[in-house]
Amino acid sequence: MEPQVIRAIQDDYPDEFAWCYGCGRLNEQGHHFRTGWDGDKTVTVYTPRPEHTAIPGFVYGGLIASLIDCHGTGSAALALHRKNGHEPGSWETPPRFVTASLHVDFVKPTPHGVPLVAVGTVTEIHPKKWQVDTEVFANGELCARGQVVAVVMPKTFVQG
């Protein structure tokens, strides 16, 4: 049985930062990835849609990279939010991260039609920079692993 994310960090992102194609809850066309805690690990569960097919029966690698990317930034936000004394649902605005680097290794073809489970381990590199090592499983088997270095988004960030 796959873990479930009851309360995700993305649920608490302010509306102006909830538009990411991968994890933005307000992006109608997006994936709506949701990342939460499972003990001291982070987890995102996502079932690919039919259009995420690489070849019949297998998931497109770009979706897996997107999952690792958004899982990484969400995990970093969870970790810093917890370090600051808060959890998702505390009604405190969580920090928002952007990707500084993304690395993905595809271990084996990822079957389509089953939930993908991304499990992350978060390490603080610097107060504004966090590393998230992620493994992606399908049917309990490791299919991909990745690493995201995420940095805190500047408070002065404005669209322009």
Side-chain angles (χ1 to χ4, degrees):
M1 184 172 151
E2 288 82 27
Q4 293 184 349
V5 177
I6 304 301
R7 188 68 188 175
I9 194 71
Q10 293 89 346
D11 297 340
D12 294 340
Y13 288 165
D15 287 355
E16 62 268 26
F17 300 117
W19 293 93
C20 172
Y21 187 80
C23 64
R25 72 180 185 284
L26 299 178
N27 188 326
E28 292 180 21
Q29 306 303 312
H31 302 308
H32 301 144
F33 297 141
R34 299 178 73 250
T35 307
W37 288 111
D38 185 14
D40 64 345
K41 303 281 188 186
T42 58
V43 66
T44 302
V45 180
Y46 183 76
T47 302
R49 299 187 300 241
E51 61 267 26
H52 300 136
T53 299
I55 58 173
F58 296 96
V59 176
Y60 163 62
L63 174 74
I64 296 166
S66 181
L67 174 61
I68 291 170
D69 184 11
C70 286
H71 177 78
T73 57
S75 295
L78 278 168
L80 182 54
H81 203 44
R82 179 173 276 180
K83 181 181 176 184
N84 291 337
H86 309 293
E87 296 292 333
S90 67
W91 308 113
E92 292 292 329
T93 301
R96 192 69 170 91
F97 281 76
V98 294
T99 304
S101 71
L102 170 65
H103 178 86
V104 179
D105 289 317
F106 298 98
V107 177
K108 65 184 292 184
T110 304
H112 205 293
V114 298
L116 304 182
V117 180
V119 179
T121 303
V122 187
T123 306
E124 182 177 5
I125 298 172
H126 176 276
K128 294 183 179 181
K129 185 186 278 187
W130 297 71
Q131 176 178 307
V132 181
D133 295 297
T134 300
E135 295 181 319
V136 178
F137 298 89
N139 290 328
E141 296 210 21
L142 180 65
C143 296
R145 61 174 58 97
Q147 183 180 85
V148 169
V149 174
V151 294
V152 175
M153 188 171 65
K155 292 182 185 209
T156 58
F157 179 82
V158 291
Q159 294 178 342

